[in-house]
Amino acid sequence: CDEPPPPPRCDILFAYNKADVRSSDMHKISAWAKRLTADPGMSVRLEGNADERGSSDYNKGLAMRRSENVKKALMAKGAKAGQLELVSNGEDDPVAAGSGEKVWAQNRCVNVVE
């Protein structure tokens, strides 16, 4: 197969029903901010996700708040607003398939996509 591998993902994980970036993920925020400030022409898409619990509308809003908070954290470290596109997948594009806490935890995230 001659297809290139998929781009790396940087999952910023969130607690259930929360949108605050955890201190345990700040090293990922710092690494992405460093890349973005080193290359002002670079941009990324912040894809917010939620697990399947809750209504579709609620999960879309929660996923957007997660994306917005990752954006704020990146900007606090020097990234520019124009480098950051926000997307809210809600529960519609799960990272992991299935149900249960282990799967839900993986789906409560923001993926940073180049």
Side-chain angles (χ1 to χ4, degrees):
C1 180
D2 292 332
E3 289 185 35
R9 291 185 5 175
C10 178
D11 298 327
I12 310 298
L13 300 174
F14 293 84
Y16 173 67
N17 204 28
K18 301 289 183 190
D20 301 328
V21 176
R22 297 192 246 194
S23 60
S24 60
D25 280 326
M26 287 309 293
H27 69 283
K28 294 176 185 177
I29 296 288
S30 294
W32 275 105
K34 185 176 181 178
R35 288 186 64 196
L36 289 161
T37 56
D39 183 357
M42 180 183 185
S43 63
V44 294
R45 188 172 58 250
L46 305 175
E47 297 180 347
N49 298 285
D51 65 37
E52 65 187 355
R53 297 172 290 178
S55 72
S56 180
D57 287 343
Y58 177 80
N59 287 335
K60 284 276 190 186
L62 178 60
M64 183 54 77
R65 287 190 302 279
R66 289 173 173 164
S67 292
E68 289 167 347
N69 285 341
V70 170
K71 178 181 179 177
K72 287 176 190 173
L74 287 166
M75 290 178 62
K77 300 270 185 188
K80 303 296 181 207
Q83 294 179 286
L84 308 168
E85 175 190 356
L86 301 182
V87 174
S88 175
N89 293 328
E91 63 190 67
D92 296 337
D93 190 17
V95 174
S99 292
E101 186 52 44
K102 194 172 187 177
V103 171
W104 293 331
Q106 294 175 64
N107 288 325
R108 295 190 302 260
C109 65
V110 169
N111 296 318
V112 181
V113 181
E114 290 185 61

